[in-house]
Protein backbone atom coordinates (compact mmCIF):
# COMPACT_ATOMS: atom_id res chain seq x y z
CA UNK A 1 0.00 0.00 0.00
CA UNK A 2 1.38 3.37 -1.03
CA UNK A 3 1.25 5.90 1.82
CA UNK A 4 0.99 9.57 0.92
CA UNK A 5 1.28 12.33 3.52
CA UNK A 6 -0.87 15.30 2.56
CA UNK A 7 0.44 18.41 4.34
CA UNK A 8 -2.14 21.15 4.82
CA UNK A 9 -3.09 23.97 7.19
CA UNK A 10 -5.39 23.72 10.21
CA UNK A 11 -8.42 21.45 10.30
CA UNK A 12 -8.55 19.39 7.07
CA UNK A 13 -12.32 18.96 7.55
CA UNK A 14 -12.92 22.64 6.79
CA UNK A 15 -15.72 23.06 4.25
CA UNK A 16 -13.86 24.71 1.39
CA UNK A 17 -13.25 23.49 -2.14
CA UNK A 18 -9.60 22.63 -1.55
CA UNK A 19 -10.20 20.67 1.62
CA UNK A 20 -13.21 18.84 0.14
CA UNK A 21 -11.01 17.95 -2.85
CA UNK A 22 -8.47 16.38 -0.50
CA UNK A 23 -11.08 14.40 1.39
CA UNK A 24 -12.61 12.96 -1.76
CA UNK A 25 -9.16 11.82 -2.89
CA UNK A 26 -8.40 10.36 0.55
CA UNK A 27 -11.68 8.43 0.56
CA UNK A 28 -11.03 6.88 -2.85
CA UNK A 29 -7.27 6.31 -2.62
CA UNK A 30 -7.60 2.73 -1.23
CA UNK A 31 -9.29 1.70 -4.49
CA UNK A 32 -5.97 2.48 -6.16
CA UNK A 33 -3.69 0.83 -3.65
CA UNK A 34 -2.89 3.96 -1.66
CA UNK A 35 -3.76 5.72 1.57
CA UNK A 36 -3.66 9.43 2.31
CA UNK A 37 -2.66 10.60 5.80
CA UNK A 38 -3.25 14.24 6.73
CA UNK A 39 -0.53 16.21 8.49
CA UNK A 40 -1.42 19.78 9.43
CA UNK A 41 0.34 22.99 10.28
CA UNK A 42 -1.29 24.86 13.19
CA UNK A 43 -3.75 27.51 12.03
CA UNK A 44 -1.88 30.40 13.65
CA UNK A 45 -1.77 33.92 12.17
CA UNK A 46 0.70 34.46 9.32
CA UNK A 47 3.63 33.74 9.37
CA UNK A 48 3.79 31.83 12.67
CA UNK A 49 2.71 28.41 11.31
CA UNK A 50 6.18 28.26 9.81
CA UNK A 51 7.48 27.45 13.30
CA UNK A 52 5.71 24.10 13.06
CA UNK A 53 7.55 22.95 9.94
CA UNK A 54 9.97 20.70 11.80
CA UNK A 55 7.15 18.97 13.65
CA UNK A 56 5.30 18.52 10.35
CA UNK A 57 8.27 16.78 8.73
CA UNK A 58 8.75 14.61 11.83
CA UNK A 59 5.11 13.54 11.67
CA UNK A 60 5.41 12.78 7.96
CA UNK A 61 8.34 10.52 8.78
CA UNK A 62 6.52 8.81 11.67
CA UNK A 63 3.46 7.98 9.59
CA UNK A 64 5.58 5.99 7.18
CA UNK A 65 4.82 8.11 4.14
CA UNK A 66 6.60 7.31 0.90
CA UNK A 67 5.69 10.65 -0.68
CA UNK A 68 4.71 14.11 0.52
CA UNK A 69 1.88 16.02 -1.14
CA UNK A 70 2.12 19.72 -0.20
CA UNK A 71 -1.07 21.81 -0.25
CA UNK A 72 -0.60 25.28 -1.78
CA UNK A 73 -2.37 26.85 1.21
CA UNK A 74 0.67 26.11 3.40
CA UNK A 75 3.51 25.58 0.90
CA UNK A 76 5.44 28.65 2.00
CA UNK A 77 5.44 27.57 5.63
CA UNK A 78 7.41 24.45 4.75
CA UNK A 79 9.88 26.18 2.40
CA UNK A 80 12.76 26.84 4.86
CA UNK A 81 12.43 23.35 6.31
CA UNK A 82 12.60 21.74 2.87
CA UNK A 83 15.76 23.77 2.20
CA UNK A 84 17.34 22.86 5.54
CA UNK A 85 16.35 19.22 6.01
CA UNK A 86 16.00 18.09 2.37
CA UNK A 87 13.63 15.15 2.95
CA UNK A 88 14.51 12.03 0.99
CA UNK A 89 10.98 11.19 -0.01
CA UNK A 90 9.59 12.88 -3.17
CA UNK A 91 7.70 16.12 -2.59
CA UNK A 92 4.84 17.07 -4.92
CA UNK A 93 2.76 20.23 -4.74
CA UNK A 94 -1.02 20.26 -5.07
CA UNK A 95 -2.11 23.76 -6.07
CA UNK A 96 -5.57 25.26 -5.58
CA UNK A 97 -4.21 28.81 -5.70
CA UNK A 98 -1.33 30.72 -7.23
CA UNK A 99 1.72 31.67 -5.14
CA UNK A 100 0.66 34.43 -2.79
CA UNK A 101 -2.83 33.11 -2.14
CA UNK A 102 -6.23 34.65 -2.81
CA UNK A 103 -8.00 37.67 -1.37
CA UNK A 104 -5.47 38.92 1.17
CA UNK A 105 -3.49 42.10 1.81
CA UNK A 106 -0.93 43.00 -0.87
CA UNK A 107 2.03 42.94 1.54
CA UNK A 108 1.11 39.47 2.78
CA UNK A 109 0.56 38.19 -0.75
CA UNK A 110 4.03 39.39 -1.83
CA UNK A 111 5.77 37.71 1.08
CA UNK A 112 3.76 34.52 0.73
CA UNK A 113 4.39 34.39 -3.02
CA UNK A 114 8.12 34.44 -2.37
CA UNK A 115 7.85 31.68 0.22
CA UNK A 116 5.58 29.59 -2.00
CA UNK A 117 7.96 29.89 -4.93
CA UNK A 118 10.84 28.84 -2.64
CA UNK A 119 8.92 25.72 -1.60
CA UNK A 120 8.14 24.73 -5.18
CA UNK A 121 11.85 24.61 -6.00
CA UNK A 122 11.94 21.41 -3.94
CA UNK A 123 8.91 19.75 -5.59
CA UNK A 124 9.27 17.19 -8.33
CA UNK A 125 5.82 17.75 -9.79
CA UNK A 126 3.00 20.27 -9.36
CA UNK A 127 -0.56 18.97 -9.51
CA UNK A 128 -2.74 21.91 -10.62
CA UNK A 129 -6.47 21.93 -9.86
CA UNK A 130 -7.55 23.69 -13.07
CA UNK A 131 -6.43 24.56 -16.58
CA UNK A 132 -6.92 28.28 -15.91
CA UNK A 133 -4.52 28.13 -12.95
CA UNK A 134 -2.07 26.03 -14.93
CA UNK A 135 -2.04 28.64 -17.72
CA UNK A 136 -1.47 31.38 -15.13
CA UNK A 137 1.58 29.78 -13.49
CA UNK A 138 5.08 30.14 -14.87
CA UNK A 139 6.29 27.02 -13.09
CA UNK A 140 7.82 23.75 -14.40
CA UNK A 141 6.63 20.15 -14.16
CA UNK A 142 2.89 20.88 -14.12
CA UNK A 143 0.02 18.46 -14.60
CA UNK A 144 -3.67 19.41 -14.45
CA UNK A 145 -5.68 17.27 -12.04
CA UNK A 146 -9.19 18.70 -12.11
CA UNK A 147 -11.69 17.77 -9.39
CA UNK A 148 -14.43 15.25 -10.02
CA UNK A 149 -17.91 16.39 -10.99
CA UNK A 150 -19.85 13.63 -9.21
CA UNK A 151 -21.42 14.92 -6.00
CA UNK A 152 -22.49 11.82 -4.07
CA UNK A 153 -23.62 8.26 -4.67
CA UNK A 154 -27.09 9.11 -3.38
CA UNK A 155 -29.11 12.25 -2.76
CA UNK A 156 -31.65 13.41 -0.21
CA UNK A 157 -34.86 14.76 -1.76
CA UNK A 158 -35.02 18.53 -1.36
CA UNK A 159 -38.72 18.92 -2.09
CA UNK A 160 -40.26 21.71 -4.16
CA UNK A 161 -37.62 24.44 -4.31
CA UNK A 162 -39.74 26.74 -6.45
CA UNK A 163 -42.10 27.40 -3.52
CA UNK A 164 -44.98 28.42 -5.81
CA UNK A 165 -42.83 30.53 -8.15
CA UNK A 166 -41.74 29.88 -11.72
CA UNK A 167 -38.17 28.77 -11.04
CA UNK A 168 -35.71 27.80 -8.32
CA UNK A 169 -32.22 29.34 -8.29
CA UNK A 170 -29.44 27.64 -6.35
CA UNK A 171 -26.13 28.98 -5.04
CA UNK A 172 -23.73 26.61 -3.25
CA UNK A 173 -20.87 28.56 -1.66
CA UNK A 174 -19.56 29.56 1.74
CA UNK A 175 -20.51 33.10 2.74
CA UNK A 176 -17.18 34.75 1.96
CA UNK A 177 -16.41 38.03 0.22
CA UNK A 178 -14.85 36.39 -2.84
CA UNK A 179 -18.11 34.54 -3.54
CA UNK A 180 -19.92 37.89 -3.99
CA UNK A 181 -23.26 36.90 -2.48
CA UNK A 182 -24.17 40.56 -2.06
CA UNK A 183 -24.05 41.13 -5.82
CA UNK A 184 -26.20 38.05 -6.34
CA UNK A 185 -28.75 39.25 -3.81
CA UNK A 186 -28.83 42.73 -5.32
CA UNK A 187 -29.41 41.33 -8.82
CA UNK A 188 -32.02 38.91 -7.48
CA UNK A 189 -33.86 41.72 -5.69
CA UNK A 190 -34.51 43.30 -9.10
CA UNK A 191 -36.57 40.32 -10.24
CA UNK A 192 -40.36 40.31 -9.80
CA UNK A 193 -41.25 38.82 -6.42
CA UNK A 194 -43.35 36.00 -7.91
CA UNK A 195 -40.72 34.91 -10.43
CA UNK A 196 -38.15 32.84 -8.52
CA UNK A 197 -37.00 31.49 -5.17
CA UNK A 198 -33.29 31.66 -4.38
CA UNK A 199 -31.66 28.94 -2.26
CA UNK A 200 -28.32 29.51 -0.51
CA UNK A 201 -26.28 26.55 0.74
CA UNK A 202 -22.89 26.89 2.43
CA UNK A 203 -21.08 27.77 5.64
CA UNK A 204 -22.56 31.07 6.81
CA UNK A 205 -19.76 31.63 9.34
CA UNK A 206 -16.80 31.36 6.96
CA UNK A 207 -16.32 35.16 7.01
CA UNK A 208 -18.30 36.47 10.02
CA UNK A 209 -18.28 40.16 9.10
CA UNK A 210 -19.29 39.56 5.51
CA UNK A 211 -21.74 36.87 6.63
CA UNK A 212 -23.60 39.39 8.78
CA UNK A 213 -23.97 41.68 5.76
CA UNK A 214 -25.32 38.82 3.68
CA UNK A 215 -27.74 37.77 6.43
CA UNK A 216 -29.16 41.30 6.70
CA UNK A 217 -29.74 41.48 2.95
CA UNK A 218 -31.35 38.02 2.93
CA UNK A 219 -33.72 39.11 5.71
CA UNK A 220 -34.82 42.11 3.63
CA UNK A 221 -35.89 39.76 0.83
CA UNK A 222 -38.18 37.71 3.06
CA UNK A 223 -39.30 34.25 1.93
CA UNK A 224 -37.90 34.79 -1.55
CA UNK A 225 -34.55 33.54 -0.22
CA UNK A 226 -34.09 30.25 1.65
CA UNK A 227 -31.01 29.57 3.80
CA UNK A 228 -29.75 25.97 4.04
CA UNK A 229 -26.45 26.54 5.84
CA UNK A 230 -23.84 23.79 5.87
CA UNK A 231 -25.01 20.75 3.92
CA UNK A 232 -23.78 17.20 3.59
CA UNK A 233 -22.92 15.92 0.11
CA UNK A 234 -26.21 14.03 -0.15
CA UNK A 235 -28.15 17.18 0.71
CA UNK A 236 -26.27 19.20 -1.89
CA UNK A 237 -26.98 16.52 -4.49
CA UNK A 238 -30.67 16.78 -3.65
CA UNK A 239 -30.60 20.55 -4.09
CA UNK A 240 -28.94 20.23 -7.49
CA UNK A 241 -31.58 17.72 -8.57
CA UNK A 242 -34.48 19.97 -7.54
CA UNK A 243 -33.17 23.35 -8.80
CA UNK A 244 -33.66 24.95 -12.22
CA UNK A 245 -30.58 27.21 -12.45
CA UNK A 246 -27.23 27.38 -10.66
CA UNK A 247 -25.82 30.85 -9.98
CA UNK A 248 -22.53 31.82 -8.33
CA UNK A 249 -21.02 35.22 -9.26
CA UNK A 250 -17.69 34.40 -7.64
CA UNK A 251 -14.91 36.93 -8.06
CA UNK A 252 -12.19 34.27 -8.03
CA UNK A 253 -12.42 30.52 -8.53
CA UNK A 254 -9.37 28.38 -9.17
CA UNK A 255 -11.67 25.70 -10.56
CA UNK A 256 -15.18 25.99 -9.17
CA UNK A 257 -16.11 22.40 -8.38
CA UNK A 258 -19.71 23.44 -7.75
CA UNK A 259 -20.01 24.61 -11.36
CA UNK A 260 -18.96 21.20 -12.72
CA UNK A 261 -21.25 19.43 -10.24
CA UNK A 262 -24.18 21.61 -11.30
CA UNK A 263 -23.45 21.05 -15.00
CA UNK A 264 -23.31 17.28 -14.44
CA UNK A 265 -26.77 17.56 -12.87
CA UNK A 266 -28.07 19.41 -15.93
CA UNK A 267 -28.23 22.90 -14.44
CA UNK A 268 -27.47 25.97 -16.56
CA UNK A 269 -24.72 27.92 -14.76
CA UNK A 270 -24.55 31.69 -14.34
CA UNK A 271 -21.56 33.62 -13.01
CA UNK A 272 -18.90 36.26 -13.59
CA UNK A 273 -16.20 35.97 -16.24
CA UNK A 274 -13.49 35.78 -13.59
CA UNK A 275 -11.70 32.62 -12.54
CA UNK A 276 -12.32 29.31 -14.24
CA UNK A 277 -15.97 29.55 -15.37
CA UNK A 278 -15.10 30.67 -18.95
CA UNK A 279 -12.94 27.52 -19.19
CA UNK A 280 -15.94 25.36 -18.28
CA UNK A 281 -18.85 26.76 -20.31
CA UNK A 282 -19.64 28.88 -23.36
CA UNK A 283 -21.78 31.93 -22.77
CA UNK A 284 -25.28 31.33 -24.09
CA UNK A 285 -24.77 27.56 -24.50
CA UNK A 286 -24.50 25.90 -21.06
CA UNK A 287 -25.32 29.07 -19.13
CA UNK A 288 -24.33 32.71 -18.95
CA UNK A 289 -20.91 34.25 -18.33
CA UNK A 290 -21.14 37.95 -17.46
CA UNK A 291 -18.68 40.74 -16.84
CA UNK A 292 -17.88 40.95 -13.15
CA UNK A 293 -20.01 43.56 -11.43
CA UNK A 294 -22.62 43.79 -14.20
CA UNK A 295 -25.67 43.68 -11.92
CA UNK A 296 -28.21 44.65 -14.60
CA UNK A 297 -26.78 41.94 -16.85
CA UNK A 298 -26.92 39.36 -14.07
CA UNK A 299 -30.52 40.28 -13.24
CA UNK A 300 -31.52 40.13 -16.91
CA UNK A 301 -29.85 36.74 -17.41
CA UNK A 302 -31.61 35.26 -14.37
CA UNK A 303 -34.96 36.69 -15.40
CA UNK A 304 -34.64 35.28 -18.91
CA UNK A 305 -33.82 31.80 -17.60
CA UNK A 306 -36.66 31.93 -15.08
CA UNK A 307 -39.22 33.00 -17.68
CA UNK A 308 -38.16 30.63 -20.45
CA UNK A 309 -38.35 26.95 -19.46
CA UNK A 310 -37.56 25.94 -23.05
CA UNK A 311 -34.27 27.85 -22.86
CA UNK A 312 -33.47 26.19 -19.54
CA UNK A 313 -34.14 22.78 -21.07
CA UNK A 314 -31.89 23.55 -24.03
CA UNK A 315 -29.08 24.68 -21.76
CA UNK A 316 -29.67 21.71 -19.47
CA UNK A 317 -29.04 19.28 -22.32
CA UNK A 318 -25.90 21.21 -23.27
CA UNK A 319 -24.75 21.21 -19.63
CA UNK A 320 -24.96 17.42 -19.37
CA UNK A 321 -23.04 17.01 -22.63
CA UNK A 322 -20.42 19.49 -21.43
CA UNK A 323 -19.98 17.61 -18.14
CA UNK A 324 -19.06 14.40 -19.96
CA UNK A 325 -15.57 15.78 -20.49
CA UNK A 326 -15.04 16.32 -16.76
CA UNK A 327 -13.42 13.57 -14.67
CA UNK A 328 -15.09 11.65 -11.89
CA UNK A 329 -13.50 11.75 -8.44
CA UNK A 330 -12.29 8.20 -8.99
CA UNK A 331 -10.47 9.28 -12.15
CA UNK A 332 -8.98 12.30 -10.36
CA UNK A 333 -7.73 10.08 -7.56
CA UNK A 334 -6.29 7.55 -10.00
CA UNK A 335 -4.31 10.29 -11.75
CA UNK A 336 -2.91 11.64 -8.48
CA UNK A 337 -1.84 8.20 -7.25
CA UNK A 338 -0.31 7.29 -10.61
CA UNK A 339 1.63 10.59 -10.71
CA UNK A 340 3.01 9.90 -7.24
CA UNK A 341 4.01 6.36 -8.27
CA UNK A 342 5.87 7.75 -11.30
CA UNK A 343 7.96 9.92 -8.99
CA UNK A 344 8.79 6.89 -6.87
CA UNK A 345 9.84 4.77 -9.82
Amino acid sequence: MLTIALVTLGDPKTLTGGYLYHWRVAELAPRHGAEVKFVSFPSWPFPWPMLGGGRVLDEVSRCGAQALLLDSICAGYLAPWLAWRRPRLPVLGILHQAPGGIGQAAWKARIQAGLDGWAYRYTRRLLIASQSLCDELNLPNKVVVAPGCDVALSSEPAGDLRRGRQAALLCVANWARMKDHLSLLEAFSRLPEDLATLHLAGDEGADPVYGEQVARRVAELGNRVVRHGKCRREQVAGLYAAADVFVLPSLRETYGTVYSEALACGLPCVGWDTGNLPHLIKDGVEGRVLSAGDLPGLAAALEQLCRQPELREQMSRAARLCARRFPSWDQTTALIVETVRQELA
Side-chain angles (χ1 to χ4, degrees):
M1 178 76 75
L2 170 64
T3 300
I4 303 169
L6 202 163
V7 175
T8 189
L9 175 68
D11 184 0
K13 294 185 179 180
T14 304
L15 291 178
T16 64
Y19 287 107
L20 292 173
Y21 180 114
H22 296 156
W23 273 105
R24 296 303 296 271
V25 170
E27 288 172 351
L28 294 169
R31 294 187 184 182
H32 303 279
E35 63 175 341
V36 174
K37 294 186 176 181
F38 290 92
V39 179
S40 296
F41 277 92
S43 54
W44 298 333
F46 178 87
W48 303 118
M50 192 181 299
L51 298 176
R55 181 195 57 78
V56 164
L57 288 180
D58 289 342
E59 190 170 340
V60 168
S61 178
R62 283 195 299 271
C63 77
Q66 295 146 276
L68 189 160
L69 197 55
L70 180 59
D71 184 358
S72 55
I73 199 171
C74 64
Y77 297 140
L78 198 61
W81 298 91
L82 292 174
W84 178 37
R85 292 179 49 170
R86 298 291 181 98
R88 295 182 179 179
L89 76 176
V91 178
L92 297 85
I94 184 161
L95 278 67
H96 303 279
Q97 59 184 20
I102 298 174
Q104 54 191 359
W107 68 268
K108 180 181 175 183
R110 285 195 297 271
I111 296 172
Q112 185 174 326
L115 290 169
D116 291 345
W118 187 13
Y120 297 144
R121 294 179 204 166
Y122 299 96
T123 59
R124 298 190 186 181
R125 194 78 69 91
L126 297 178
L127 309 179
I128 314 295
S130 74
Q131 186 60 55
S132 65
L133 181 58
C134 186
D135 294 343
E136 178 184 334
L137 298 177
N138 183 26
L139 294 169
N141 302 321
K142 298 178 293 185
V143 57
V144 175
V145 186
C149 66
D150 43 324
V151 187
L153 294 176
S154 61
S155 64
E156 294 183 7
D160 177 16
L161 297 188
R162 294 180 181 176
R163 304 283 179 96
R165 299 182 174 92
Q166 295 183 44
L169 308 178
L170 172 65
C171 177
V172 179
N174 293 338
W175 289 15
R177 204 168 299 275
M178 293 301 293
K179 304 300 182 180
D180 209 7
H181 286 80
L182 290 179
S183 289
L184 169 57
L185 292 167
E186 176 57 35
F188 178 74
S189 72
R190 302 181 184 190
L191 305 184
E193 290 191 16
D194 62 349
L195 184 61
T197 302
L198 172 62
H199 295 262
L200 304 178
D203 182 0
E204 299 179 0
D207 181 341
V209 174
Y210 185 73
E212 289 180 6
Q213 297 173 2
V214 173
R216 285 196 296 269
R217 192 68 179 100
V218 167
E220 293 170 358
L221 294 169
N223 68 0
R224 297 174 62 193
V225 182
V226 180
R227 296 163 58 171
H228 296 268
K230 293 181 182 179
C231 294
R232 290 176 286 101
R233 289 200 300 251
E234 294 77 11
Q235 292 173 308
V236 173
L239 290 170
Y240 284 136
D244 296 299
V245 176
F246 183 83
V247 54
L248 174 58
S250 181
L251 296 168
R252 184 73 169 89
E253 289 290 339
T254 300
Y255 182 81
T257 305
V258 289
Y259 292 129
S260 63
E261 291 174 346
L263 291 166
C265 293
L267 293 182
C269 288
V270 181
W272 297 143
D273 61 355
T274 50
N276 198 50
L277 184 58
H279 285 75
L280 299 178
I281 71 171
K282 299 182 185 69
D283 181 39
V285 179
E286 300 93 359
R288 293 301 314 277
V289 182
L290 305 152
S291 297
D294 181 7
L295 297 182
L298 178 57
L302 293 176
E303 182 166 0
Q304 182 187 34
L305 285 165
C306 291
R307 291 194 184 279
Q308 299 183 25
E310 67 282 357
L311 176 61
R312 294 201 304 269
E313 181 58 33
Q314 175 185 327
M315 288 188 172
S316 176
R317 290 193 296 270
R320 293 184 187 277
L321 286 173
C322 172
R324 290 182 181 177
R325 74 175 192 267
F326 303 149
S328 66
W329 278 111
D330 193 62
Q331 291 170 324
T332 297
T333 304
L335 179 55
I336 289 175
V337 173
E338 177 57 28
T339 302
V340 173
R341 290 190 192 280
Q342 289 173 5
E343 297 304 325
L344 287 168

